[in-house]
Amino acid sequence: MKRRTLLLASAVALMPAAVFAADLTVGFSQIGSESGWRAAETSVAKLEAEKRGITLKFADAQQKQENQIKAIRSFIAQGVDGIFIAPVVATGWDEVLEEAKDADIPVLLLDRKVDASDDLYLTSVTSDTVYEGKVAGEWLAEAVGGAECNIVELQGTTGSSPAIDRKNGFEQGIAGSDNLKIVRSQTGDFTRSQGKVVMESFLKAEGGENICALYAHNDDMAVGAIQAIKEAGLKPGEDILVVAIDAVPDAHLAIANGEMNATIELTPNMAGPAYDALEKYLADGTMPPKWIQTESRLFTASDDNNAIYEEKKQLGY
Amino acid sequence: MPGPNSSVLKRILPQLVILGVVLLLNFIVFPDFFRIEFKNGRLFGSLIDVLNRGAPTALLCVGMTLVIATKGIDLSVGAVMAIAGATAASLVVEGHGWFTALLGALAVGGLCGLWNGVLVAVIRIQPIVATLVLMVAGRGIAQLITEGTILTFNNEGLVRLGAGTVAGIPTPIVIWVALGALATFVIRRTALGLLIEAIGVNETSSRLTGINSRVILICVYVMSGLCAALAGVIVAADIKGADANNAGLWLELDAILAVVIGGNSLLGGRFSIVASLLGALIIQSVNSVILLSGMPPEFNLVIKALLILAILVIQSPKIGHLVYMFRAASGGRNIASPTRPAASPLVPNKDK
């Protein structure tokens, strides 16, 4: 807690220097708090605002688009300097975005995109989910080297765009190496318990000793699958390599314990780059690119995973 | 009415046959299906997985059978699972023992059941609406308990309930078999089963004969809540974490389906817990076929729907009648009575 007070104190001390930024007010319409990642995205948005002396008005839409539209209208009425939206669905935004445009308030999309003409928003800050999968595939290809390797894949919810993208990306990542083969691929619905159930069936259907690596579309499924591997009497991380995406705290813990090998971060810091773009735009009209790609960082055993775990736990994952 | 063993067998024969067929399907897509090894201190094999993974649905359908027998329905069980799992997890995270956590979860489950029971039996709201309240609100309550995160724990006692073994058998199997046997015993060796059936057939007349239908109705919903709580604790213990968003999601529908596949009428009346449990195993075996077949996941729901549809069509009395007609027409003189299925899910099965 001491560190937080210190942080606050230093933020206060820096205030005069950033006096023009202190005038900024940003409205943020968040989808809700359906996952730990989303809770972390919200806390990072608040921390980053505090750091920059920006006043953040936060609205939780509880998974409903009409709540988001209501929140955006009230932000427009309050005359904020910028609006951040993490859109719950892709369609149906044109009207309210027009209203924001008429009021000359720049809109920035966080984490997801919308189906609307791109002159209706300033920019969108998202990660490249295909690229995430590709990083995972390339990491595995390098880790295995030339050895034969049968991979089992735990897909996300069937038909969801991250599941499709992360699957394609991974296939691109291992495309060059003929020794890597995906032998089974089934959905684990992005949940721990399904990840465990499906991994159990993989272990039986293929035989645990014939599986060399597991690729999961998110960490939660990997964490569930790790338990299934342990219950089958095998060592996750050694007998079966485990690579997944998201870098949630429990994945860092698993890597620190040697039960998982790599995870690619879906950063919760979507707001940081958005604040930067907004501040620049308001200061001298610099137009940011229409798409700001966040960093997809690879974490392995060579990082200090225990420290990262503690740090991320603070964010409300 | 409890009958001699032969009539029980006749009652569950269709379910046994269907289960056999689905298990055979498993064997066809995966020839090692029936192989059971002893590995790492536990029984290990696909058949064990079916019994183990069927545990949550099996537990839910014990309570659900009783509720449906009273002509009710409990849509809230999935959400109650999430609440109970979250309660157990937060109790062990606060440093309590696993037994306290289990009791706490059961208490919360019982309370949820009491809420449903009072809405149905005292305030007289239709069961589907009354339990919808908790189905929608319950997940929110669970999220409040876990504060929106997956609450992980490492309490060995609690983990053993979901991922441990008793004499090599995974604990969830032991729990659901024991609970199913206990419930069947209590209900069939006392008049309780008859009273529940009476309420399901005609509540007014059962009340006029002196049955305290209000208390019994409340009791079956409490029982359903308790079963859901137990299922919720097992699911949380299995993954060492309470996932308020996903624990028990849509499982109420699987439980209702298990009861229907078990040949119990949704209009109340005669019921068989054993048949419902077989229904739960049938559903899990269908899931197992899908997982072992290695088909792309896009086909999962289609395959499941087709198999379930086939099962329900085979069970329908119309088809049973057609089979009888066909056999009679082809000169089967030794057919003494119509080979109607022992019970049909589609037609009220009122006692004469």
Side-chain angles (χ1 to χ4, degrees):
Chain A
M1 284 308 99
K2 216 168 200 172
R3 190 190 291 174
R4 181 167 290 178
T5 354
L6 241 158
L7 246 165
L8 253 172
S10 60
V12 171
L14 284 171
M15 279 293 232
V19 80
F20 109 95
D23 296 328
L24 274 187
T25 303
V26 171
F28 178 17
S29 169
Q30 176 63 286
I31 295 176
S33 53
E34 79 281 2
S35 65
W37 183 84
R38 193 137 320 266
E41 185 190 28
T42 303
S43 21
V44 174
K46 287 176 179 166
L47 281 175
E48 290 283 322
E50 208 173 293
K51 215 159 65 181
R52 291 154 211 257
I54 293 171
T55 314
L56 185 71
K57 291 181 186 288
F58 179 76
D60 181 330
Q62 304 193 323
Q63 324 292 326
K64 290 208 176 79
Q65 189 179 24
E66 64 258 35
N67 290 348
Q68 289 205 292
I69 291 175
K70 236 184 273 169
I72 295 163
R73 291 215 166 107
S74 98
F75 291 149
I76 296 171
Q78 292 169 41
V80 295
D81 302 298
I83 297 175
F84 290 2
I85 313 172
V88 62
V89 291
T91 51
W93 296 101
D94 304 65
E95 199 185 321
V96 73
L97 291 182
E98 292 275 2
E99 288 168 32
K101 197 179 178 194
D102 291 345
D104 268 335
I105 300 175
V107 172
L108 295 91
L109 306 173
L110 302 192
D111 156 49
R112 298 185 188 183
K113 296 186 175 178
V114 298
D115 289 338
S117 146
D118 68 3
D119 61 325
L120 291 176
Y121 56 86
L122 186 64
T123 181
S124 63
V125 184
T126 69
S127 75
D128 183 342
T129 36
V130 178
Y131 178 69
E132 290 166 353
K134 200 170 163 205
V135 173
E138 283 166 354
W139 174 84
L140 188 62
E142 203 188 305
V144 173
E148 288 294 313
C149 184
N150 289 337
I151 304 163
V152 293
E153 180 183 30
L154 285 169
Q155 297 186 27
T157 307
T158 310
S160 67
S161 67
I164 295 168
D165 290 350
R166 286 176 178 179
K167 184 174 170 53
N168 289 340
F170 185 77
E171 281 162 5
Q172 287 171 24
I174 61 168
S177 347
D178 295 333
N179 53 331
L180 300 179
K181 232 179 21 238
I182 299 176
V183 288
R184 290 240 165 196
S185 182
Q186 177 57 261
T187 174
D189 274 331
F190 283 133
T191 68
R192 270 184 205 212
S193 54
Q194 268 314 100
K196 186 173 179 188
V197 170
V198 176
M199 190 67 205
E200 278 177 0
S201 82
F202 284 165
L203 288 165
K204 264 125 213 164
E206 292 297 323
E209 62 286 353
N210 301 326
I211 299 173
C212 121
L214 161 72
Y215 165 53
H217 289 188
N218 78 347
D219 285 335
D220 275 333
M221 292 191 290
V223 169
I226 285 171
Q227 292 180 29
I229 297 170
K230 279 200 276 189
E231 281 170 27
L234 295 166
K235 280 205 188 71
E238 282 178 38
D239 298 332
I240 297 180
L241 301 175
V242 180
V243 52
I245 299 174
D246 275 357
V248 301
D250 283 343
H252 288 292
L253 199 60
I255 296 177
N257 294 338
E259 293 172 344
M260 193 166 159
N261 307 85
T263 183
I264 291 95
E265 184 176 50
L266 170 64
T267 176
N269 184 11
M270 298 279 167
Y275 289 129
D276 291 343
L278 180 67
E279 279 177 338
K280 268 197 212 123
Y281 172 73
L282 292 177
D284 53 13
T286 317
M287 283 301 274
K290 276 293 161 194
W291 177 37
I292 301 174
Q293 183 188 342
T294 58
E295 192 191 0
S296 301
R297 191 178 153 198
L298 173 76
F299 287 95
T300 57
S302 55
D303 295 282
D304 184 0
N305 286 286
N306 277 319
I308 301 167
Y309 171 75
E310 293 302 331
E311 194 182 305
K312 285 198 167 176
K313 265 290 182 202
Q314 301 288 320
L315 296 176
Y317 266 107
Chain B
M1 284 297 291
N5 282 337
S6 67
S7 83
V8 172
L9 192 66
K10 201 173 156 198
R11 167 68 181 81
I12 61 171
L13 190 64
Q15 283 74 37
L16 282 176
V17 172
I18 292 166
L19 183 59
V21 171
V22 182
L23 290 180
L24 200 68
L25 267 181
N26 270 294
F27 176 70
I28 292 168
V29 299
F30 179 53
D32 277 343
F33 180 74
F34 290 106
R35 201 175 74 192
I36 294 173
E37 295 166 90
F38 197 77
K39 213 172 177 177
N40 199 22
R42 57 162 61 224
L43 291 175
F44 186 87
S46 294
L47 195 60
I48 300 294
D49 279 354
V50 169
L51 293 170
N52 191 16
R53 293 296 156 210
T57 316
L59 286 171
L60 290 183
C61 81
V62 171
M64 188 69 79
T65 307
L66 301 179
V67 170
I68 285 178
T70 65
K71 212 175 180 173
I73 201 150
D74 189 349
L75 294 182
S76 70
V77 287
V80 173
M81 278 176 70
I83 299 175
T87 308
S90 65
L91 282 174
V92 292
V93 166
E94 276 168 25
H96 297 276
W98 69 271
F99 194 67
T100 318
L102 178 63
L103 283 186
L106 287 175
V108 168
L111 207 64
C112 292
L114 187 68
W115 163 265
N116 285 331
V118 168
L119 286 185
V120 172
V122 181
I123 307 181
R124 294 281 154 193
I125 300 175
Q126 284 193 359
I128 197 167
V129 181
T131 55
L132 192 63
V133 176
L134 202 52
M135 177 189 175
V136 177
R139 234 158 253 291
I141 297 171
Q143 279 180 12
L144 285 180
I145 298 172
T146 63
E147 291 166 351
T149 65
I150 297 180
L151 202 55
T152 51
F153 52 85
N154 250 322
N155 180 302
E156 283 205 6
L158 192 59
V159 170
R160 208 171 292 146
L161 284 177
T165 56
V166 176
I169 305 167
T171 326
I173 303 182
V174 178
I175 293 176
W176 78 256
V177 170
L179 187 90
L182 185 74
T184 313
F185 182 79
V186 169
I187 276 157
R188 288 308 175 193
R189 293 299 155 206
T190 66
L192 194 58
L194 186 65
L195 302 184
I196 290 172
E197 288 177 354
I199 293 173
V201 173
N202 190 330
E203 202 198 328
T204 315
S205 60
S206 70
R207 201 163 42 228
L208 291 174
T209 58
I211 296 172
N212 191 339
S213 66
R214 197 172 282 177
V215 168
I216 291 186
L217 272 177
I218 291 178
C219 282
V220 295
Y221 283 95
V222 170
M223 179 68 188
S224 181
L226 290 174
C227 290
L230 203 49
V233 171
I234 287 178
V235 165
D238 183 38
I239 56 163
K240 299 183 190 172
D243 186 347
N245 282 308
N246 299 305
L249 193 64
W250 308 127
L251 223 54
E252 57 277 348
L253 299 182
D254 268 6
I256 294 168
L257 184 62
V259 174
V260 170
I261 292 177
N264 299 294
S265 165
L266 287 178
L267 295 168
R270 284 183 64 177
F271 67 93
S272 164
I273 291 178
V274 178
S276 295
L277 291 175
L278 288 172
L281 288 185
I282 291 169
I283 294 177
Q284 193 54 43
S285 308
V286 169
N287 289 341
S288 167
V289 174
I290 294 166
L291 288 180
L292 292 173
S293 67
M295 295 272 268
E298 287 79 8
F299 292 100
N300 287 5
L301 296 175
V302 180
I303 300 171
K304 192 170 175 182
L306 287 176
L307 286 173
I308 299 290
L309 184 69
I311 290 167
L312 293 179
V313 166
I314 291 166
Q315 281 194 339
S316 92
K318 275 269 187 273
I319 299 293
H321 189 66
L322 275 179
V323 170
Y324 166 68
M325 295 291 278
F326 179 75
R327 282 169 68 178
S330 61
R333 283 203 194 87
N334 51 357
I335 300 172
S337 65
T339 51
R340 260 191 61 162
S344 106
L346 305 173
V347 154
N349 194 359
K350 294 178 181 165
D351 243 342
K352 296 142 271 193

